[in-house]
Amino acid sequence: MQLIAAQNEEVTINIDTLSEHVYMLTGKGGNIGVFVGQDNVFMIDDQFAPLSDKIKKAIKTLTNLPISILFNTHMHGDHTGGNANFNSKTTTVVAHDNVRKSLKKRLLENNKLDNKILPEVSFSDDIAFYDGDEIIMAFHVHNAHTDGDAMVFFINNNVLHMGDTYFSGRYPFIDLRNGGSVEGYINAQKKALILINDETKIIPGHGRPSNKKELESYVNMLVFVKEKVLSEIEMGKSLEEVSDNTDLLSPYDKTHGNGFINPKRMRETFYKSLKKE
Ligand SMILES: [Zn+2]
């Protein structure tokens, strides 16, 4: 999700403890994952630049160890906005190839190319990190929320950070302009379900910490929406007709339609994506 950071708004960084070594930090923007390893900290996403100092302070309450890796789950500004503030001689920024490409493109378009913002290591399919007993597995999922999404699984801590391939408790933002798709989004979640078990803690890109049971019902919701919109497309309905059909997704609009993506936008996004596929 992309949000504009309010400059003077007071933001508090809250910490949820998800396992012995993994924490979730919330402030404004995408949920941050923090793994405190033997000698280093592995961090996932960094919200907006004005929050970097607060985020660093919050991490200091957990450990004095240095942040060795900052991993970006995708290119949106509410997940990568602090890159330049965290990137240092001792902190390496890592992301999927397309995250680097999109960030570079966006910076060049705005005449603001700054290498400190760009990932210094990029990968195409997956990459593993090792720290003590922990194996941190990051893997790319195709055309889901964007074209550069990756999830990060802390295997022994049994925590999965899904980035914006999961908006727990609310309709998802699927960024069609940046390579996202309904089909890819559902497939990404199904891939996550294969990896995890009933005890896994999930860090969604937005929303509260979640679990397998909730993710299963979320996939069911997405499949329901997909089938409803597809049948409208097959009946020859136009974008406007589907966009205005307030009954179409009614069972879910009350529970999931109060976030950044309202029911109308949900119907439109699914229509546009499925019409193409
Ligand atoms: Zn996003």
Side-chain angles (χ1 to χ4, degrees):
M1 178 157 65
Q2 279 174 307
L3 293 167
I4 306 303
Q7 295 298 322
N8 298 315
E9 193 185 326
E10 247 344 282
V11 175
T12 310
I13 308 296
N14 289 306
I15 302 177
D16 284 287
T17 303
L18 299 189
S19 73
E20 200 184 341
H21 297 283
V22 182
Y23 305 86
M24 175 175 127
L25 274 56
T26 45
K28 193 175 174 66
N31 292 329
I32 293 171
V34 171
F35 166 76
V36 180
Q38 275 190 341
D39 319 298
N40 295 289
V41 171
F42 182 104
M43 176 181 173
I44 303 166
D45 290 348
D46 54 30
Q47 302 191 344
F48 298 104
L51 299 176
S52 298
D53 286 339
K54 279 188 182 177
I55 293 164
K56 284 177 186 175
K57 264 186 210 154
I59 295 173
K60 278 263 185 278
T61 67
L62 300 171
T63 178
N64 278 318
L65 292 172
I67 301 163
S68 62
I69 303 285
L70 166 58
F71 189 95
N72 293 148
T73 58
H74 64 291
M75 48 81 78
H76 285 152
D78 59 324
H79 297 256
T80 58
N83 276 11
N85 297 333
F86 283 93
N87 190 351
S88 70
K89 279 181 196 154
T90 50
T91 306
T92 304
V93 183
V94 182
H96 183 261
D97 295 337
N98 290 341
V99 175
R100 188 182 158 89
K101 276 184 205 156
S102 325
L103 285 177
K104 192 170 179 182
K105 188 166 159 253
R106 196 167 71 194
L107 291 166
L108 283 171
E109 279 167 2
N110 296 315
N111 249 331
K112 282 183 181 163
L113 185 60
D114 173 1
N115 283 322
K116 279 191 86 179
I117 296 174
L118 300 178
E120 300 159 283
V121 174
S122 76
F123 62 95
S124 58
D125 294 314
D126 45 57
I127 186 167
F129 304 86
Y130 304 87
D131 187 305
D133 295 335
E134 187 53 288
I135 300 166
I136 305 165
M137 197 175 82
F139 56 95
H140 174 51
V141 283
H142 297 269
N143 300 98
H145 171 67
T146 64
D147 67 0
D149 301 299
M151 298 192 207
V152 183
F153 192 28
F154 299 92
I155 294 177
N156 290 320
N157 278 270
N158 203 5
V159 178
L160 176 68
H161 193 310
M162 290 181 63
D164 280 2
T165 67
Y166 186 26
F167 282 63
S168 80
R170 60 193 87 171
Y171 284 149
F173 172 41
I174 300 176
D175 189 350
L176 304 182
R177 282 190 197 161
N178 282 302
S181 72
V182 164
E183 207 57 50
Y185 205 93
I186 291 172
N187 287 339
Q189 296 206 337
K190 286 183 175 169
K191 194 170 177 181
L193 284 173
I194 292 169
L195 278 180
I196 62 178
N197 60 32
D198 292 342
E199 278 74 52
T200 307
K201 300 271 172 56
I202 301 175
I203 302 178
H206 298 268
R208 297 298 300 148
S210 188
N211 55 45
K212 187 175 185 183
K213 211 173 152 208
E214 287 175 2
L215 181 61
E216 276 168 347
S217 55
Y218 197 90
V219 176
N220 290 340
M221 178 275 288
L222 293 178
V223 170
F224 170 88
V225 174
K226 179 188 148 187
E227 280 166 4
K228 283 283 179 187
V229 173
L230 262 183
S231 72
E232 296 289 294
I233 291 170
E234 277 156 17
M235 283 188 279
K237 297 280 170 66
S238 69
L239 172 62
E240 255 136 46
E241 283 171 306
V242 171
S243 165
D244 291 341
N245 186 346
T246 51
D247 290 334
L248 193 65
L249 314 178
S250 56
Y252 287 110
D253 285 350
K254 273 206 182 89
T255 50
H256 291 72
N258 305 308
F260 176 61
I261 300 299
N262 62 33
K264 188 179 169 74
R265 221 172 142 193
M266 183 72 172
R267 295 190 294 271
E268 286 173 355
T269 302
F270 271 62
Y271 186 96
K272 285 181 192 162
S273 181
L274 293 166
K275 186 89 179 164
K276 272 195 283 187
E277 279 163 5

